[in-house]
């Protein structure tokens, strides 16, 4: 590939590729805890360290979900973040950035670390939940029953709500869905409709498993 064909994308520019990047990370992600060689008193407080990506304020960020058995002190968190930084620069991240992620028009190589302006901050699970975007409301009754028209309205609402990644993911899932009512259910996960399940209820794992078995959802 010619160097002229290579383009650097920042967190905002790569956002439209959120779904395919997330899928690639999920497939390649390994628990980083077994390789942690820091103090034993820290390791015993940890359950797992899993690489992931998340959208925040219109940008896609490389992250790590750290599950703890006990609270960590500030010093201990700094040690864990230093370890993750090393994994993203020379370990797990070095391997992941060599994977070609196929997209329309070419390939992505995603870097979790960069030599300049790299920063890692601990964020609690409670804070992550508090910044989760609210589903924009959308009525189904009394509107065009064509699934592509419904999907288009929902995608527009999500974009207007600053949820570009969710809009793209929803469209992908609906497009691969083989049933009108399943498609309505998928749309209702992203926008608040008469069919939406309250956010404080867990998703039905049996329904999602059945969707995958019958080709209703491709991830």
């Amino acid at each position: 590939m010619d160097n002229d064909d290579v383009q650097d994308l920042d967190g905002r520019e790569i956002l439209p590729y959120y779904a395919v990047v997330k899928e690639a990370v999920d497939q390649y992600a390994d628990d980083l805890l077994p390789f942690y060689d820091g103090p034993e008193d820290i390791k015993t407080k940890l359950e797992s360290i899993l690489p992931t990506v998340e959208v925040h304020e219109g940008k896609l960020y490389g992250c790590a979900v750290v599950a703890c058995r006990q609270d960590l002190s500030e010093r201990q968190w700094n040690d864990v973040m230093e370890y993750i930084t090393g994994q993203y620069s020379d370990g797990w991240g070095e391997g992941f950035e060599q994977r070609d992620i196929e997209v329309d028009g070419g390939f992505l190589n995603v870097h979790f670390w960069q030599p300049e302006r790299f920063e890692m901050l601990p964020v609690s699970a409670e804070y992550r939940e508090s910044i989760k975007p609210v589903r924009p409301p959308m009525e189904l009754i009394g509107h065009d029953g064509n699934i592509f028209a419904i999907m288009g309205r929902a995608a527009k609402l999500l974009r207007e709500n600053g949820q570009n990644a969710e809009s793209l993911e929803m469209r992908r899932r609906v497009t691969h869905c083989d049933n009108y009512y399943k498609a309505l259910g998928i749309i209702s996960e992203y926008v608040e409709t008469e069919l939406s399940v309250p956010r404080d209820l867990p998703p039905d794992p049996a329904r999602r498993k059945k969707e995958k078995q019958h080709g209703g959802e491709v991830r």
Side-chain angles (χ1 to χ4, degrees):
M1 179 182 291
D2 193 287
N3 287 336
D4 293 338
D5 295 329
V6 177
Q7 181 181 2
D8 290 331
L9 304 178
D10 61 23
R12 194 177 302 278
E13 293 166 329
I14 201 176
L15 185 59
Y17 303 103
Y18 164 76
V20 68
V21 171
K22 179 71 162 60
E23 184 175 18
V25 174
D26 289 346
Q27 289 177 351
Y28 190 72
D30 289 318
D31 185 358
L32 303 180
L33 182 58
F35 309 103
Y36 177 71
D37 57 359
E40 191 64 26
D41 67 316
I42 297 178
K43 189 171 184 177
T44 56
K45 292 184 176 182
L46 302 175
E47 288 187 357
S48 61
I49 303 174
L50 288 173
T52 187
V53 290
E54 291 192 359
V55 178
H56 180 53
E57 295 184 348
K59 294 182 181 180
L60 186 62
Y61 288 90
C63 310
V65 177
V66 181
C68 303
R69 295 186 179 92
Q70 296 175 260
D71 291 338
L72 302 180
S73 66
E74 182 178 352
R75 177 189 63 80
Q76 291 172 329
W77 269 119
N78 288 336
D79 190 277
V80 171
M81 289 189 292
E82 183 178 349
Y83 166 69
I84 296 172
T85 299
Q87 278 286 350
Y88 284 175
S89 61
D90 300 317
W92 182 90
E94 186 179 24
F96 182 73
E97 67 186 23
Q98 297 177 38
R99 293 173 62 90
D100 291 336
I101 302 174
E102 188 172 0
V103 296
D104 290 342
F107 296 90
L108 291 176
N109 295 99
V110 178
H111 307 273
F112 270 62
W113 180 84
Q114 59 189 28
E116 298 178 356
R117 295 190 302 165
F118 177 86
E119 185 178 17
M120 183 167 286
L121 298 172
V123 177
S124 68
E126 291 79 8
Y127 177 75
R128 289 173 64 218
E129 187 64 28
S130 71
I131 62 175
K132 198 172 192 178
V134 176
R135 288 185 298 208
M138 187 184 86
E139 291 185 357
L140 294 175
I141 298 175
H143 292 273
D144 189 345
N146 180 287
I147 193 61
F148 292 103
I150 296 172
M151 180 179 69
R153 285 199 297 125
K156 182 173 183 292
L157 280 174
L158 288 168
R159 290 194 301 270
E160 291 173 348
N161 201 43
Q163 296 171 262
N164 291 346
E166 287 82 352
S167 173
L168 289 166
E169 184 179 55
M170 179 204 68
R171 292 177 71 96
R172 179 182 63 83
R173 290 180 63 197
V174 171
T175 301
H176 286 90
C177 186
D178 62 353
N179 181 286
Y180 175 82
Y181 295 102
K182 288 180 185 176
L184 285 180
I186 292 171
I187 291 171
S188 300
E189 293 178 26
Y190 295 86
V191 297
E192 197 74 32
T193 75
E194 298 91 329
L195 303 177
S196 294
V197 175
R199 277 190 181 268
D200 56 353
L201 292 181
D204 182 354
R207 180 179 65 82
R208 296 184 70 86
K209 183 178 180 181
K210 188 176 179 181
E211 278 186 0
K212 293 181 180 181
Q213 289 174 340
H214 290 80
E217 177 183 357
V218 178
R219 284 189 175 276

